[in-house]
Amino acid sequence: MLHQILFFIFASVAVAAAVNLLLQKHPINSALSLVVVMCALAVLYLLLGAEFVSAVQLIVYAGAIMVLFVFVIMLLNAGLEERTPGSTVATLIGVPGVAALIGLSVFAFVHGRIGESGYSIGDFHVSTQDIGRLLFRDYLLPFEVTSVLVLIGIMGAVVLAKRDDASPSDRAPEITAEAPRPESQDSAERINV
C-alpha cells in the first residue's frame, strides 16, 4: 500500500513538473522543470525495484544531459519565449486525444485488476552485468547511433551560437561612422578652413 501511495505522489510530481515545463516562458525554468521530472522518474524506477536504472536516471539524465541542456541554452543566449497563437489543427487533434487518454486511464483504473497480476514490486532481479551485456553487445549499434546524434546536436548548437548575421561589409560604415577621427585629419581640416 505504501508503494502505491508513493507512486501516486511522485507520478503527480512528474506530471505537474512536465506541465510546468510547457507553461514556462524562460528556457532555463523549463530545463529546471525537466530536472524535476527526471528526478521523479528516478524515484519511480526505485519503487519498481530497478535500483541501477534509477541511479543511471539520476546520474546520466538529471545530471549530465540536463547540464548539457542548460549549457546549450546559455550558449545560445535564449531569452523569453515568444508565444504564438495555437494551431487549430493541434487543438482539433490534441484536445480529443487528451480526452481519450484520460478516459482510457479512468477505465483501466476502474475496471482493471490492480495488484492481482501475480507478481509484486521488485520481483524482477536483473544484474548490472546483464544490463551491460544487453547495452554493449545486443544493442551496441543503437547506443552508438544515439551518441553520434547527441554529438551532432551539440555541434549544431555551437554553429548556431557562433553564426554572425551581419557580414563584414555591412558593418564597415558603422565602424567608420563611430570611430574617432585621427588628429592628423583634424589638423588637415583646420588648415583647409
Side-chain angles (χ1 to χ4, degrees):
M1 184 68 179
L2 180 64
H3 277 89
Q4 289 179 345
I5 294 171
L6 289 175
F7 172 80
F8 284 116
I9 289 172
F10 285 103
S12 301
V13 168
V15 170
V19 169
N20 188 35
L21 180 143
L22 296 174
L23 297 179
Q24 288 295 326
K25 291 185 178 181
H26 202 279
I28 294 290
N29 296 339
S30 294
L32 293 176
S33 295
L34 192 55
V35 169
V36 173
V37 172
M38 298 293 178
C39 292
L41 286 177
V43 173
L44 291 177
Y45 288 139
L46 190 62
L47 287 173
L48 291 173
E51 294 86 5
F52 179 74
V53 177
S54 175
V56 168
Q57 177 78 18
L58 276 178
I59 294 168
V60 174
Y61 289 105
I65 300 295
M66 290 314 302
V67 166
L68 187 68
F69 278 8
V70 171
F71 173 72
V72 170
I73 289 170
M74 289 183 174
L75 185 68
L76 292 175
N77 198 14
L80 289 177
E81 181 181 340
E82 295 178 15
R83 296 287 181 172
T84 58
S87 169
T88 56
V89 175
T91 305
L92 292 175
I93 293 173
V95 171
V98 168
L101 182 66
I102 291 172
L104 202 63
S105 299
V106 168
F107 179 79
F109 280 121
V110 171
H111 296 293
R113 295 185 185 119
I114 299 174
E116 298 177 13
S117 58
Y119 61 89
S120 63
I121 294 175
D123 273 353
F124 301 107
H125 296 288
V126 178
S127 69
T128 308
Q129 182 180 8
D130 294 335
I131 294 174
R133 187 179 305 113
L134 283 174
L135 186 62
F136 294 114
R137 189 184 67 195
D138 298 343
Y139 297 106
L140 180 63
L141 182 62
F143 180 73
E144 291 298 327
V145 168
T146 304
S147 65
V148 169
L149 286 175
V150 169
L151 179 65
I152 290 171
I154 294 169
M155 290 172 38
V158 169
V159 167
L160 285 175
K162 295 292 181 185
R163 185 172 52 179
D164 206 358
D165 293 337
S167 65
S169 61
D170 294 341
R171 284 188 279 160
E174 296 173 8
I175 293 172
T176 56
E178 294 177 7
R181 297 167 66 178
E183 289 184 26
S184 59
Q185 264 186 337
D186 289 339
S187 60
E189 284 181 6
R190 285 187 210 146
I191 295 173
N192 288 339
V193 175

